[in-house]
Amino acid sequence: MASKPTFPDEIMVEILLKLPIKSILRCNTLSKHYYSLIHSQFFIRRHLSLVRLNNNFSDRFIVSPMVDSLRLFNRTSGCSIESVGSSSLVDDVSNRKLVIAGPVDGLYCVIDHVNVFQRRAISLWNPATLEEFILPPLPLTNDAFDDGVEGLSLEDFLDDFVARDECLAFGFGYDSNTNNYKVVIIYRSISDFLSSNMFMYIFNLSEKTWRDHDECVGVNFWDIKSFDGVFFCEACHWICSFHSFDHNAAYQIFAFDMSTESSIAISFPDVEDGYVWFNTSITTLNGCLALVDGLGGEDVEMRFSFFLVWVMADYGVTESWSMRYRVSLPDGIVGRFLGIAGDRFYVSEGEGWLVSYDVDSKDVERYRILDDSIYSLLPYEESLVRIVSL
């Protein structure tokens, strides 16, 4: 029988916290005492705090292409590309379009956009520990499927429904009130896709079940521009087009609070509504909600050479929007906005090319990462947070 370590737990914790996460995980096998220490909530939260303190999210990213794979990109290590510890959704590729959201405490949500209503389409994933949980299939209620359609079953509609891309949005976030992680899916009525009737399901990790939520009922938005919601200030955020009195699209941010499960509409800054659908993205910058508005060089792939960065200094207060940066990419470079990390502005040039531009020094770096266009670039955050507690 293994004896208890001679060092006090307080000293062992400080030693373990200085180790790389792979080394910490190896210590799991030393004894039951080490196992319980490493998997304690105190140690997990302490480790996560140190990771955030020491990592400015400017060097490592999870890169998601338009289809079927994920990669770990390290800008400061010779711009190396690594195969990230894949989720089983990545390993089981068949006519898929993978979208990833996060990190939330080092956890990510991977969703197969093409097959979202089928089995094995959504997973919660910790790439550092390789722990994963495949969510159960999304239930579809009779409310979503119009009983008035005669002679057709729910299954008969699914192929056409997915082909129309009617799963409008998903979000992944944390409920601080219950210390729980949640996934949100928003989609339109299956049988009446011309209506603006929206349906929402929420997955609660602690209960491991889906439940329908009527928050979208009566919400007067017509469509959602951003599929993957940005989690910030305990809410997921999407760009939506709302009905206006003159029947033109009016754009706002739809924010759904993961703790209270209520929503608010956040007004846009003074941007041109006519181009929002093609060029505007939600992000965060220096602890604030931000919008990036692309201008110039627009083409069919939504690539731009000039960007405006708007920042909301006081969350939820429309008057606090201000235009913080005017980012002009060097001549010959056009791209689709992916993210901001530190002082670097990242865009995808298409065909697997990634460009980073330092807004202060004007330094440009280009990297060939994949064979396919890049869909998203997310900071890579390591953590020991458990998805399924033993």
Side-chain angles (χ1 to χ4, degrees), residues 1 6 12 18 33 51 72 81 94 98 109 146 148 180 203 217 220 246 267 313 327 357 370 378:
M1 183 176 67
T6 56
M12 287 309 305
K18 296 182 184 300
H33 183 78
V51 167
L72 179 61
I81 307 299
S94 176
L98 295 177
C109 182
D146 188 350
N180 187 35
F203 180 83
V217 176
N220 193 31
D246 58 4
S267 298
V327 180
Y357 175 62
L370 303 162
L378 297 177

Side-chain angles (χ1 to χ4, degrees), residues 35 39-41 44-45 105-108 122-126 129-136 172 179-181 203-209 383-390:
Y35 184 91
H39 287 276
S40 68
Q41 285 300 309
I44 289 173
R45 290 295 167 184
D105 294 343
L107 305 183
Y108 298 81
I122 308 173
S123 75
L124 297 182
W125 173 50
N126 185 331
T129 64
L130 301 184
E131 187 181 20
E132 180 183 31
F133 178 78
I134 302 292
L135 275 61
F172 172 50
N179 189 29
N180 187 35
Y181 299 94
F203 180 83
N204 186 314
L205 182 59
S206 64
E207 300 173 358
K208 299 181 177 57
T209 57
S383 85
L384 294 164
V385 172
R386 306 295 305 278
I387 298 176
V388 180
S389 299
L390 299 178

Side-chain angles (χ1 to χ4, degrees), residues 5 32 42 54 83 92 107 111 113 115 135 162-163 205 227 234 267 281 306 337 339 358 360:
K32 291 183 179 179
F42 169 78
N54 298 324
S83 177
D92 182 23
L107 305 183
I111 183 168
H113 194 184
N115 303 297
L135 275 61
V162 172
L205 182 59
F227 177 65
E234 302 210 0
S267 298
S281 302
F306 181 78
F337 171 75
D358 191 302
D360 294 325

Side-chain angles (χ1 to χ4, degrees), residues 114-314:
V114 174
N115 303 297
V116 67
F117 292 105
Q118 310 303 317
R119 292 184 179 275
R120 298 182 60 80
I122 308 173
S123 75
L124 297 182
W125 173 50
N126 185 331
T129 64
L130 301 184
E131 187 181 20
E132 180 183 31
F133 178 78
I134 302 292
L135 275 61
L138 184 72
L140 293 175
T141 66
N142 289 333
D143 290 333
F145 175 69
D146 188 350
D147 288 330
V149 180
E150 296 182 359
L152 293 176
S153 67
L154 178 60
E155 289 73 18
D156 293 332
F157 269 89
L158 279 178
D159 289 341
D160 183 51
F161 182 74
V162 172
R164 291 199 307 267
D165 209 19
E166 293 303 323
C167 177
L168 296 178
F170 90 107
F172 172 50
Y174 177 70
D175 177 354
S176 62
N177 288 342
T178 62
N179 189 29
N180 187 35
Y181 299 94
K182 294 180 179 179
V183 177
V184 172
I185 295 288
I186 302 174
Y187 61 93
R188 198 188 304 282
S189 170
I190 292 177
S191 56
D192 187 10
F193 66 92
L194 292 178
S195 77
S196 58
N197 201 15
M198 302 291 182
F199 299 92
M200 176 184 289
Y201 270 93
I202 301 175
F203 180 83
N204 186 314
L205 182 59
S206 64
E207 300 173 358
K208 299 181 177 57
T209 57
W210 290 99
R211 57 182 168 81
D212 59 339
H213 186 61
D214 61 1
E215 179 61 32
C216 282
V217 176
V219 175
N220 193 31
F221 60 71
W222 173 250
D223 218 339
I224 301 178
K225 183 252 182 190
S226 47
F227 177 65
D228 43 330
V230 174
F231 184 67
F232 172 76
C233 207
E234 302 210 0
C236 284
H237 302 78
W238 300 270
I239 295 175
C240 298
S241 59
F242 286 71
H243 295 295
S244 61
F245 292 112
D246 58 4
H247 303 291
N248 292 320
Y251 295 97
Q252 291 180 316
I253 296 174
F254 177 67
F256 182 77
D257 191 294
M258 286 296 197
S259 295
T260 64
E261 296 189 358
S262 60
S263 64
I264 61 171
I266 299 176
S267 298
F268 261 39
D270 187 17
V271 300
E272 294 187 49
D273 278 357
Y275 297 97
V276 166
W277 195 254
F278 301 101
N279 64 353
T280 306
S281 302
I282 304 175
T283 188
T284 59
L285 180 64
N286 299 328
C288 296
L289 191 69
L291 283 174
V292 177
D293 196 27
L295 301 170
E298 181 180 343
D299 61 17
V300 70
E301 295 185 359
M302 294 180 287
R303 297 186 297 177
F304 307 92
S305 60
F306 181 78
F307 298 86
L308 301 179
V309 181
W310 296 80
V311 174
M312 176 175 269
D314 189 2

Side-chain angles (χ1 to χ4, degrees), residues 51-115:
V51 167
R52 290 173 172 166
L53 181 64
N54 298 324
N55 186 0
N56 60 6
F57 297 144
S58 62
D59 57 350
R60 291 189 298 173
F61 305 90
I62 293 181
V63 179
S64 174
M66 292 298 185
V67 293
D68 75 29
S69 65
L70 301 173
R71 295 290 183 268
L72 179 61
F73 168 65
N74 193 332
R75 190 185 71 83
T76 57
S77 294
C79 302
S80 62
I81 307 299
E82 305 171 27
S83 177
V84 70
S86 296
S87 77
S88 60
L89 293 188
V90 178
D91 296 333
D92 182 23
V93 176
S94 176
N95 186 32
R96 294 177 178 272
K97 177 181 177 183
L98 295 177
V99 183
I100 181 169
V104 180
D105 294 343
L107 305 183
Y108 298 81
C109 182
V110 182
I111 183 168
D112 174 9
H113 194 184
V114 174
N115 303 297

